[in-house]
Amino acid sequence: MMLTPPNSESELIERAQQLAGLTLAQLAARFNLPVPTDLRREKGWIGQLLEQALGTTAGTLPKPDFMELGIELKTIPIDRCGKPLESTFVSTIHLLGVSRLTWESSYVYQKLKRVLWVPILAEKHLSIADRQIGTPFLWSPDTEQMAALRQDWQELTDMIALGELEKITARHGRYLQIRPKGANAKALVTGINENGERIKTLPRGFYLRALFTKTLLQDYF
DNA sequence: GTCTGATCATGA
DNA sequence: TCATGATCAGAC
């Protein structure tokens, strides 16, 4: 089953709303997809299922999932109280040439300026099949959120530009944090140290803290 | 290797 | 209990 991409924001949100209440087993059945018994070896399975169900267009490009609409799709696992169970991955980080980047040209800004959040009731006691799709909502950062995200991004990007990459831990950043994002500890990329020398280091990514996404969900529900 | 989709597993 | 650091799968 192939889906045509949505032509407008309203068509997209309408589609997403029609999925609310379905279990993952019900949605997977529409695509004749087997449901894994756990996500240990298929961590992205839920996100990919929703991509199929909503007709994303970006594929593997580093672009918002709905390229033409400039909208990013994010599934977010929540408990029955609507509290996020995980942080949210935003983008990988280019460790070279960051000094030329601006906030507006960054992947973080491009992806977060408009997001379709699809909550998934995903408490651990529920099998993957029984996890349930919640009410989706479109979000853009408000003034305060945007300013804070921009500041986090700038501070962290500055540290990378100064060669302080190895000093960055997940404790930096108010809403955005930087954490490893790679296949494993052996997957290394090139970065720059304080002396301007090329070093091999773990790939990193920007993530939204669960404490931040929790506030988004509270604003909408 | 680089990107996407994320969750796992463990120590604090 | 919770966040950090580590890890898994697939496309290209």
Side-chain angles (χ1 to χ4, degrees):
Chain A
M1 179 169 163
M2 260 310 273
L3 212 54
T4 55
N7 291 310
S8 66
E9 196 170 283
S10 55
E11 187 180 335
L12 172 57
I13 189 72
E14 201 169 303
R15 256 185 217 185
Q17 277 166 352
Q18 288 183 350
L19 303 180
L22 293 179
T23 64
L24 297 183
Q26 288 171 327
L27 184 56
R30 295 186 181 181
F31 298 96
N32 292 313
L33 288 174
V35 180
T37 51
D38 64 64
L39 297 179
R40 266 182 300 187
R41 306 195 72 80
E42 292 179 76
K43 296 181 179 178
W45 186 82
I46 297 175
Q48 285 155 0
L49 176 63
L50 269 294
E51 282 188 345
Q52 274 201 47
L54 293 172
T56 57
T57 57
T60 62
L61 298 174
K63 296 277 183 184
D65 295 293
F66 302 96
M67 274 188 295
E68 301 79 1
L69 302 177
I71 297 174
E72 175 75 7
L73 170 66
K74 289 291 178 201
T75 59
I76 181 164
I78 58 166
D79 67 13
R80 75 191 68 195
C81 302
K83 197 176 67 157
L85 297 171
E86 292 286 350
S87 55
T88 300
F89 172 69
V90 179
S91 76
T92 49
I93 305 176
H94 296 120
L95 299 178
L96 300 175
V98 293
S99 55
R100 291 191 299 275
L101 272 180
T102 62
W103 166 240
E104 284 79 10
S105 68
S106 69
Y107 286 157
V108 175
Y109 173 78
Q110 294 298 324
K111 292 195 172 189
L112 293 185
K113 64 184 180 184
R114 196 91 176 125
V115 179
L116 176 66
W117 293 99
V118 181
I120 307 289
L121 180 60
E123 291 177 345
K124 290 288 180 188
H125 64 86
L126 291 171
S127 68
I128 309 300
D130 288 338
R131 295 185 184 183
Q132 198 175 20
I133 299 168
T135 305
F137 62 96
L138 277 164
W139 167 81
S140 289
D142 65 24
T143 307
E144 187 273 332
Q145 292 166 338
M146 189 68 98
L149 291 168
R150 178 185 187 132
Q151 186 182 342
D152 282 345
W153 179 87
Q154 192 66 60
E155 288 176 3
L156 291 163
T157 300
D158 286 349
M159 288 183 76
I160 295 171
L162 292 171
E164 296 174 346
L165 178 62
E166 305 289 4
K167 285 190 195 162
I168 299 176
T169 73
R171 293 166 185 82
H172 289 86
R174 181 175 173 204
Y175 294 163
L176 269 181
Q177 62 182 172
I178 287 180
R179 306 218 306 272
K181 171 67 162 115
N184 53 53
K186 291 173 190 152
L188 299 176
V189 295
T190 302
I192 297 287
N193 69 10
E194 280 129 317
N195 300 320
E197 298 157 346
R198 295 169 93 88
I199 54 166
K200 284 295 179 186
T201 186
L202 293 173
R204 312 299 167 91
F206 281 111
Y207 295 77
L208 290 176
R209 295 184 183 279
L211 285 172
F212 176 64
T213 52
K214 182 179 174 199
T215 66
L216 304 187
L217 290 157
Q218 284 170 346
D219 286 345
Y220 279 85
F221 299 107

